C-alpha cells in the first residue's frame, strides 16, 4: 500500500465549511478522512457521501452498539454513503450483526476497549478483567467473528497483531510526530513506532489540523510512514 494512503486525517471540526477548507488545503496529500461525532452530528454525514463521491476514502467513526437488528440497519445506511471504514464497539453480538450486514465494500473496524478506560474504570463498569485481558479477549472474538480490523492504541498494536494475525487491518490513533504537542493523548507514539508495532493506517488529527502549515505537516507524516516501510 502507498504510504500516502495509510494516513487518515481526523476531521474533528465543528462544521462542513471548516471540513471543506481543510480538505481543500490538504489537496492530493491526503486521500482518507475520518468523520466522528462532532462533524457527523453537524451535517457531516451528507458531507461524507460527497467526499466519497469526490474520490476520497471515508471512515465513519460512530462506534455503533445496539441490538443486532438496529446495528445491521445502520451499517447498511453507512454502506450507502460510500464509506470505506465504520467502527463498532467490540461486543460479540454487535460485531456479528455488523459483519453480516456489511456491503458495497464497507469494512467493519471494532473498538476493543476505549483508551480512556483503565482497570479501575472497567471494574466500576462491572467487568472482572483488566484492560489488557479485555483487549486480548475482544481481539480474539473480533478475529473469530470475521471483523475486518481493529482500532487500537499504538502501544497495544503489537499485542493485538499477535492475536489477530496478519489478515486484519489495524488502525491506530494517538500519533504524535517527534516534537508535536501531546494534547490530551496520554498514550501516543510517533508514526514510525506505530508502523513498527503493526499499524496499517494511522489516524492523525491535531498535529495536522492545528499546524501552521497543515499540508507540510501531513507530507512530513507521509514521509515518516514511507521511511518506516511496510508494517512491522
Ligand atoms: O487530534 P488527535 O490526533 O489526538 O486525534 C485523534 C483522533 O482519533 C480523534 O478523532 C479521536 O477521537 C480518535 N481516537 C483516539 N483514541 C482512541 C480512539 C479514537 O484518539 N482510542
Amino acid at each position: 500500500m502507498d504510504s500516502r494512503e495509510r494516513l487518515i486525517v481526523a476531521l474533528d471540526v465543528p462544521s462542513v465549511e471548516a471540513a471543506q477548507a481543510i480538505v481543500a488545503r490538504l489537496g492530493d496529500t491526503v486521500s482518507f478522512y475520518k468523520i466522528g461525532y462532532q462533524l457527523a452530528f453537524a451535517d457531516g454525514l451528507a458531507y461524507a457521501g460527497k467526499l466519497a463521491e469526490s474520490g476520497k476514502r471515508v471512515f465513519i467513526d460512530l462506534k455503533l452498539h445496539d441490538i443486532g437488528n438496529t446495528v445491521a440497519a445502520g451499517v447498511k445506511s453507512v454502506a450507502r454513503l460510500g464509506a470505506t471504514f465504520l467502527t463498532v464497539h467490540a461486543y460479540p453480538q454487535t460485531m456479528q450483526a455488523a459483519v453480516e450486514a456489511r456491503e458495497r465494500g464497507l469494512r467493519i473496524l471494532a473498538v476493543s476497549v476505549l483508551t480512556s478506560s483503565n482497570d479501575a474504570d472497567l471494574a466500576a463498569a462491572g467487568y472482572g478483567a483488566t484492560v489488557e485481558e479485555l483487549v486480548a479477549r475482544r481481539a480474539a472474538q473480533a478475529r473469530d467473528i470475521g471483523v475486518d480490523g481493529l482500532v487500537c492504541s499504538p502501544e497495544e498494536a503489537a499485542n493485538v497483531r499477535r492475536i489477530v494475525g496478519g489478515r486484519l487491518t489495524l488502525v491506530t490513533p494517538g500519533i504524535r510526530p517527534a516534537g508535536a504537542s501531546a494534547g490530551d493523548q496520554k498514550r501516543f507514539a510517533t508514526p514510525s513506532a506505530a508502523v513498527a508495532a503493526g499499524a496499517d493506517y494511522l489516524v492523525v488529527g491535531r498535529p495536522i489540523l492545528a499546524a501552521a502549515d497543515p499540508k507540510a505537516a501531513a507530507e512530513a507524516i507521509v514521509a515518516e510512514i514511507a521511511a518506516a516501510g511496510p508494517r512491522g
Side-chain angles (χ1 to χ4, degrees), residues 10 12 34 61 63 115 151 173-176 185 203-207:
D12 293 332
K34 179 171 92 71
D61 187 17
K63 300 185 179 72
T115 48
V151 179
I175 302 298
R176 291 293 176 270
Q185 294 283 12
V203 174
V204 184
R206 287 160 293 180

Side-chain angles (χ1 to χ4, degrees), residues 46-102:
Y47 175 64
K50 293 207 177 81
L51 206 50
E53 264 170 38
S54 79
K56 299 295 184 188
R57 290 199 290 168
V58 176
F59 172 1
I60 302 293
D61 187 17
L62 290 179
K63 300 185 179 72
L64 307 193
H65 182 45
D66 207 313
I67 59 170
N69 188 57
T70 300
V71 169
V75 166
K76 289 192 185 301
S77 290
V78 172
R80 280 195 289 274
L81 286 177
T84 298
F85 286 155
L86 168 68
T87 42
V88 304
H89 281 286
Y91 287 78
Q93 275 189 9
T94 297
M95 292 192 286
Q96 189 72 49
V99 163
E100 284 171 13
R102 81 193 143 179

Side-chain angles (χ1 to χ4, degrees), residues 13-204:
V13 292
S15 67
V16 170
E17 292 69 34
Q20 284 169 325
I22 190 89
V23 169
R25 206 158 169 198
L26 293 172
D28 291 339
T29 303
V30 174
S31 61
F32 212 151
Y33 288 97
K34 179 171 92 71
I35 294 179
Y37 287 174
Q38 186 184 20
L39 184 59
F41 299 140
D43 300 329
L45 292 174
Y47 175 64
K50 293 207 177 81
L51 206 50
E53 264 170 38
S54 79
K56 299 295 184 188
R57 290 199 290 168
V58 176
F59 172 1
I60 302 293
D61 187 17
L62 290 179
K63 300 185 179 72
L64 307 193
H65 182 45
D66 207 313
I67 59 170
N69 188 57
T70 300
V71 169
V75 166
K76 289 192 185 301
S77 290
V78 172
R80 280 195 289 274
L81 286 177
T84 298
F85 286 155
L86 168 68
T87 42
V88 304
H89 281 286
Y91 287 78
Q93 275 189 9
T94 297
M95 292 192 286
Q96 189 72 49
V99 163
E100 284 171 13
R102 81 193 143 179
E103 58 187 18
R104 301 177 191 233
L106 176 66
R107 289 189 268 164
I108 304 297
L109 302 180
V111 177
S112 57
V113 176
L114 293 174
T115 48
S116 55
S117 294
N118 60 23
D119 293 347
D121 293 315
L122 289 187
Y127 293 95
T130 64
V131 170
E132 199 183 341
E133 287 162 355
L134 196 55
V135 167
R137 180 180 186 136
R138 290 182 170 172
Q141 289 170 330
R143 175 200 63 205
D144 295 345
I145 287 168
V147 157
D148 299 290
L150 284 147
V151 179
C152 59
S153 76
E155 68 177 20
E156 288 163 356
N159 196 27
V160 169
R161 175 62 74 200
R162 268 191 295 278
I163 295 167
V164 302
R167 193 186 62 80
L168 268 72
T169 298
L170 294 191
V171 178
T172 59
I175 302 298
R176 291 293 176 270
S181 147
D184 61 356
Q185 294 283 12
K186 296 193 179 70
R187 294 182 283 159
F188 51 91
T190 61
S192 27
V195 170
D200 296 289
Y201 292 90
L202 280 53
V203 174
V204 184

